[in-house]
Amino acid sequence: MHVGNARYLGPQDLPEILPVFPLTGALLLPGAQLPLNIFEPRYLAMFDDALAGNRLIGIVQPSFSEGRNDIDSGPVPALCQVGCIGRITSFAETGDGRYITSLTGVCRYRLFAEVAGCRGYRRFRIGPFATDLDSPDDESLVDREALLAAFRAYLDANKLEADWESVERASNRTLVNSMAMMSPYGPAEKQALLEAPDLKTRAETLIAITEIVLARNFGDLDNILQ
């Protein structure tokens, strides 16, 4: 995986301990970009430290279940077990104390043990998904026709438009990951898309979620998809 000015060929190229940025409803996928507006002091500190080091930060969602209660530090939000490592590939200061940054996804990871915090933010030992660092030739397995049909039905039902010339030019991987990240679905649906084991499954999951939403909100799914 080539991200920015760095290459990540295997787990040995990634840190064992990673700072994590909990963000509800956020989805970062390998190779995709996530823009962020950073303003909270502890996360400003996190980005300062990352920029001075390996430029890697873990995006993860808070857990959908109730958080655990840590006696020493008060309520500590539980986190989902799978997130995505992002490399800071764009960074700007606003002049009013904020950072405007962009992360490019490197690979997914699984959270293991939490380690001592640093400057207010949380850090964990992680296990990276090594298969994400390869370049699998699996784009041909995606049912592009079904994916575009679901996408078009969603746009039509919500009276939205798209740049179809750009859509047609996009590769299956770009199309699936872009649609997954931009989709207006909830945290649980975003987590399901993140945890899909491969591109084909992610596309199928996205189609299924879209069809469920359309059927729930607009009724006759067969007519919508025609």
Side-chain angles (χ1 to χ4, degrees), residues 72-112:
D72 294 331
S73 60
V76 178
L79 303 175
C80 290
Q81 292 301 296
V82 176
C84 185
I85 301 173
R87 179 179 172 87
I88 301 172
T89 49
S90 176
F91 172 83
E93 296 180 311
T94 62
D96 61 1
R98 294 178 295 119
Y99 294 160
I100 303 298
T101 74
S102 180
L103 300 181
T104 301
V106 177
C107 73
R108 293 170 295 169
Y109 66 88
R110 188 173 300 278
L111 288 177
F112 293 147

Side-chain angles (χ1 to χ4, degrees), residues 19 40-52 99 115-123:
E40 192 172 340
R42 58 180 166 170
Y43 297 125
L44 292 170
M46 173 192 288
F47 275 77
D48 284 340
D49 292 345
L51 286 166
Y99 294 160
V115 301
C118 179
R119 301 219 281 167
Y121 59 82
R122 300 173 71 181
R123 302 186 303 161

Side-chain angles (χ1 to χ4, degrees), residues 1 27 37 68 73 76 87 104 150 156 160 167 179 199 215:
M1 173 68 73
L27 177 60
N37 177 16
R68 69 182 190 274
S73 60
V76 178
R87 179 179 172 87
T104 301
D156 290 345
L160 300 173
V167 170
M179 289 174 60
L199 190 68

Side-chain angles (χ1 to χ4, degrees), residues 1-223:
M1 173 68 73
H2 187 187
V3 180
N5 292 331
R7 288 186 179 275
Y8 304 96
L9 302 180
Q12 71 278 1
D13 297 322
L14 296 167
E16 294 182 1
I17 298 175
L18 188 71
V20 299
F21 188 178
L23 201 56
T24 300
L27 177 60
L28 176 62
L29 293 168
Q33 291 192 329
L34 178 67
L36 294 170
N37 177 16
I38 310 299
F39 55 87
E40 192 172 340
R42 58 180 166 170
Y43 297 125
L44 292 170
M46 173 192 288
F47 275 77
D48 284 340
D49 292 345
L51 286 166
N54 56 27
R55 300 195 173 202
L56 297 177
I57 285 173
I59 295 295
V60 68
Q61 289 201 94
S63 176
F64 316 128
S65 60
E66 295 184 3
R68 69 182 190 274
N69 186 21
D70 188 307
I71 295 174
D72 294 331
S73 60
V76 178
L79 303 175
C80 290
Q81 292 301 296
V82 176
C84 185
I85 301 173
R87 179 179 172 87
I88 301 172
T89 49
S90 176
F91 172 83
E93 296 180 311
T94 62
D96 61 1
R98 294 178 295 119
Y99 294 160
I100 303 298
T101 74
S102 180
L103 300 181
T104 301
V106 177
C107 73
R108 293 170 295 169
Y109 66 88
R110 188 173 300 278
L111 288 177
F112 293 147
E114 186 165 2
V115 301
C118 179
R119 301 219 281 167
Y121 59 82
R122 300 173 71 181
R123 302 186 303 161
F124 284 80
R125 293 190 181 278
I126 63 160
F129 286 31
T131 53
D132 287 349
L133 301 175
D134 298 330
S135 298
D137 185 19
D138 58 355
E139 293 195 40
S140 62
L141 301 178
V142 172
D143 187 342
R144 186 182 180 96
E145 184 176 345
L147 183 65
L148 289 178
F151 182 44
R152 188 183 296 275
Y154 183 89
L155 293 176
D156 290 345
N158 288 278
K159 296 180 172 57
L160 300 173
E161 296 182 356
D163 180 356
W164 285 104
E165 288 188 9
S166 296
V167 170
E168 293 295 340
R169 289 196 302 267
S171 67
N172 283 351
R173 184 173 304 280
T174 298
L175 188 63
V176 171
N177 289 344
S178 297
M179 289 174 60
M181 290 182 61
M182 293 187 297
S183 65
Y185 305 135
E189 290 80 8
K190 290 292 183 77
Q191 194 66 25
L193 292 168
L194 174 67
E195 296 186 19
D198 51 47
L199 190 68
K200 177 177 181 291
T201 307
R202 183 171 297 130
E204 292 170 347
T205 303
L206 184 58
I207 292 169
I209 292 172
T210 301
E211 291 179 347
I212 290 170
V213 169
L214 289 172
R216 183 175 63 223
N217 294 342
F218 299 98
D220 191 344
L221 182 61
D222 289 337
N223 286 338

